[in-house]
Amino acid sequence: MREEELQFEYIEKLKAYVSNLERELGHQPTCCVTTFGCQMNARDSEKLVGILQEAGYKLTENENSDFVIYNTCTVRDNANQKVYGRLGVLNGYKKKNPRMKIALCGCMMQEEKVIDKLRTSYPFVDLVFGTHNIFKFAELLVSMFESKGMIVDIWKDTDQIVEDLPVSRKYSYKSGVNIMFGCNNFCSYCIVPYVRGRERSREPKDIIREIENLVADGVVEVMLLGQNVNSYGKNLKNPITFAELLQEIEKIEGLQRIRFMTSHPKDLSPELIKVMKQSGKICKHLHLPLQSGSTRILEKMNRRYTKEGYLELALKIRKEIPDIAITTDIIVGFPGETIEDVQDTLDVIRQVKFDNAFTFIYSQRTGTPAAAMVQVPEEVVKKHFDMVLTEVQNTAREQVSKYEGQTMEALIEEVNENDSTMVTGRLSNNTIVHVKGDKSLIGKILPVQLTSCHGFYYIGDIKR
Ligand code: 5AD
Ligand code: SF4
């Protein structure tokens, strides 16, 4: 039997358990899915919600519910600490609601020491699974209902890509689309290749079909997701490049915007720049993680490019596509990093003028090569971090304000969180703009005059 069919059988079984539970509780069982980490996890959570809703659960935002699942991240240690802290709160809820079930999944669960800690200190957790068997969620839930005690099912790896299970999208007008899973790069600080496994690309025809279905369902913008989209397609039976895939996606009628992340500088091809330049749908935004501007540190990081190589690439992209926004990730405090290395990073920031940058303090991850290197003292890292942060804020402010007074298209995404008479939209270059309007505008792409820039966002007016 195909895996999908098998899982649909489990969903039917699950429905019976959930309706039993409903009788016992006297109300429709509620569920809450909390996501930590990146867009990949956000997409995975939509799959979890899809199955829970299909099974009969009612989705809530409140963690004091009948089923709670944390989809975890482990890229930095503070993500792990957050999960442990919040589990304590969940335990309190569970004491008052003994039928409550608690599940954990995602990257953090792929670490052995985490599982050991859960078994000894968090025995009230009912179900634990990892990144490779998430497609078995329905089956795992059935096991959870059929047994007592903690169920732990962690796979070391998988080559399976299971499609077509229920998905519940968070936004009606935009969606993430996985184009590949895993990573082969082994940057020396990064735990992702250990917890997400080897790189596997989806077949182009499956990706296209998924996007066509999304568009038929009202989606106008897709975000193509992969740890390193620039190496997409290399391991397929009929290899295809990422640039070729983009050209195929561009042809999909009704689709209006294409985004993607993340790009590794070492694999970004001239062909991709050309395709981005010519495209009417690919957004004017490239997320191109720098990590460090020092060639010496980049080598220790196993990034396989130099300061000069990065600069050449970024400045070429700026020249070819002048209105593009380039954003980045920077790690401060990698083992052995000195003030000279930080100066190199500052230099790259000034030359590229990043439109936005996520700056992270290096976090030691067990099992990665960098964890065994000599670490930089915390006070030094803090000082360097502040220097980098100030610089990226300066360039971001300057870059974002460049378009003041101009009219650009914005996809209206949601009602403004602080002012319900306004809605929040996103420009092609990823900048946020707030305009007067109501929820009827959500999902529409409208021309907006960027009236005034307020640091990192605009206040604007819809041009009719
Ligand atoms: N410490 C700090 N930041 C890290 N990242 C990945 N691993 C670590 C780590 N050990 C950052 C990188 C990556 C982003 C998703 O997270 O900058 O691009
Ligand atoms: Fe981690 Fe490097 Fe892979 Fe990105 S490319 S996921 S930083 S190993």
Side-chain angles (χ1 to χ4, degrees):
M1 193 191 296
R2 277 175 69 227
E3 185 63 40
E4 283 83 350
E5 287 167 38
L6 186 68
Q7 292 308 312
F8 274 106
E9 281 191 5
Y10 279 110
I11 290 174
E12 287 310 309
K13 261 190 163 174
L14 196 56
K15 283 182 183 167
Y17 283 113
V18 178
S19 71
N20 261 343
L21 183 62
E22 179 162 356
R23 270 194 297 279
E24 286 170 21
L25 290 168
H27 64 249
Q28 185 183 5
T30 53
C31 70
C32 180
V33 177
T34 303
T35 311
F36 298 83
C38 66
Q39 310 241 13
M40 297 254 190
N41 265 16
R43 181 65 179 153
D44 281 347
S45 288
E46 293 185 340
K47 298 177 183 172
L48 301 174
V49 174
I51 286 175
L52 288 165
Q53 286 182 327
E54 186 76 20
Y57 278 99
K58 183 174 156 201
L59 186 68
T60 78
E61 303 257 301
N62 186 346
E63 292 190 351
N64 192 359
S65 63
D66 301 311
F67 178 83
V68 175
I69 182 162
Y70 284 174
N71 187 4
T72 63
C73 168
T74 188
V75 77
R76 285 169 293 276
D77 189 54
N78 52 7
N80 293 41
Q81 295 315 321
K82 230 185 271 171
V83 168
Y84 290 129
R86 288 172 66 160
L87 274 176
V89 179
L90 290 190
N91 193 22
Y93 296 150
K94 187 163 178 168
K95 282 189 178 138
K96 293 194 186 120
N97 175 10
R99 289 196 180 83
M100 178 182 183
K101 300 275 186 201
I102 299 173
L104 299 170
C105 68
C107 294
M108 183 177 158
M109 301 305 126
Q110 294 293 138
E111 288 183 274
E112 260 168 51
K113 68 169 190 201
V114 169
I115 302 301
D116 294 343
K117 186 162 171 166
L118 289 173
R119 284 194 205 272
T120 50
S121 309
Y122 301 86
F124 56 88
V125 173
D126 300 282
L127 171 63
V128 180
F129 58 99
T131 54
H132 302 299
N133 52 344
I134 187 169
F135 63 86
K136 293 223 176 247
F137 185 43
E139 185 175 343
L140 289 162
L141 285 171
V142 168
S143 317
M144 178 186 81
F145 276 110
E146 289 178 351
S147 46
K148 284 206 167 68
M150 187 190 287
I151 293 182
V152 178
D153 190 4
I154 310 289
W155 296 9
K156 286 261 171 277
D157 216 334
T158 184
D159 53 8
Q160 270 174 288
I161 297 178
V162 182
E163 326 256 351
D164 298 332
L165 291 175
V167 183
S168 170
R169 287 200 322 276
K170 193 164 174 194
Y171 304 97
S172 57
Y173 53 88
K174 69 171 181 180
S175 179
V177 173
N178 295 111
I179 63 166
M180 61 203 297
F181 303 91
C183 181
N184 285 352
N185 288 312
F186 291 95
C187 301
S188 65
Y189 51 81
C190 187
I191 200 167
V192 169
Y194 305 90
V195 296
R196 286 268 174 184
R198 291 297 66 73
E199 191 177 292
R200 301 168 308 269
S201 295
R202 284 178 71 194
E203 287 293 337
K205 66 171 185 355
D206 294 334
I207 296 169
I208 302 284
R209 190 177 45 120
E210 179 175 340
I211 299 176
E212 283 170 348
N213 290 338
L214 288 168
V215 170
D217 202 26
V219 165
V220 293
E221 177 180 300
V222 290
M223 166 77 92
L224 310 176
L225 298 170
Q227 300 295 348
N228 178 13
V229 292
N230 299 107
S231 73
Y232 169 80
K234 287 184 183 159
N235 59 0
L236 288 172
K237 224 193 278 149
N238 300 311
I240 146 170
T241 65
F242 180 54
E244 285 164 347
L245 177 73
L246 280 171
Q247 285 170 294
E248 288 306 308
I249 295 174
E250 175 107 17
K251 290 182 201 151
I252 298 175
E253 224 170 288
L255 180 66
Q256 301 195 52
R257 279 183 166 186
I258 305 168
R259 298 185 183 276
F260 54 84
M261 75 190 324
T262 282
S263 287
H264 194 306
K266 78 175 167 61
D267 295 313
L268 198 144
S269 65
E271 186 195 5
L272 176 67
I273 301 175
K274 211 158 95 199
V275 168
M276 287 184 80
K277 189 174 168 171
Q278 289 164 355
S279 165
K281 295 185 180 176
I282 301 173
C283 287
K284 301 283 185 233
H285 174 212
L286 182 67
H287 187 66
L288 193 64
L290 167 68
Q291 314 299 5
S292 167
S294 153
T295 299
R296 195 179 73 85
I297 294 293
L298 286 168
E299 197 176 333
K300 288 219 251 169
M301 286 179 162
N302 191 30
R303 290 290 288 175
R304 285 173 276 172
Y305 53 86
T306 60
K307 174 187 180 185
E308 290 69 32
Y310 186 95
L311 275 173
E312 194 184 323
L313 177 66
L315 297 177
K316 177 177 175 202
I317 295 165
R318 284 250 186 259
K319 190 160 145 244
E320 295 282 329
I321 315 171
D323 51 349
I324 202 166
I326 303 181
T327 59
T328 202
D329 292 341
I330 296 171
I331 298 175
V332 181
F334 183 85
E337 188 179 59
T338 64
I339 184 69
E340 286 77 29
D341 298 312
V342 177
Q343 294 293 358
D344 273 330
T345 301
L346 296 176
D347 185 40
V348 176
I349 299 169
R350 284 186 205 115
Q351 290 201 51
V352 177
K353 291 187 195 289
F354 290 112
D355 295 72
N356 193 7
F358 298 99
T359 314
F360 305 109
I361 288 185
Y362 168 75
S363 170
Q364 220 169 343
R365 309 312 292 126
T366 311
T368 61
M373 299 177 190
V374 180
Q375 307 293 309
V376 182
E378 209 174 300
E379 331 71 81
V380 178
V381 178
K382 281 228 168 76
K383 206 173 83 204
H384 291 171
F385 182 82
D386 288 342
M387 291 167 73
V388 172
L389 191 64
T390 308
E391 203 60 55
V392 293
Q393 286 178 341
N394 287 343
T395 63
R397 230 178 254 122
E398 181 186 331
Q399 285 294 103
V400 170
S401 67
K402 272 197 319 198
Y403 302 101
E404 200 165 51
Q406 293 193 25
T407 297
M408 289 181 151
E409 286 191 332
L411 169 59
I412 306 300
E413 300 201 332
E414 56 201 1
V415 174
N416 189 304
E417 276 176 17
N418 306 314
D419 179 352
S420 60
T421 66
M422 314 239 343
V423 286
T424 300
R426 195 180 292 271
L427 305 179
S428 169
N429 70 9
N430 216 33
T431 298
I432 293 290
V433 56
H434 303 289
V435 294
K436 280 271 170 231
D438 59 39
K439 66 173 194 263
S440 67
L441 301 177
I442 292 175
K444 295 198 168 122
I445 296 183
L446 301 170
V448 164
Q449 178 162 29
L450 307 171
T451 322
S452 56
C453 183
H454 297 250
F456 304 107
Y457 65 88
Y458 280 100
I459 300 286
D461 292 298
I462 296 170
K463 298 280 267 191
R464 306 222 180 236

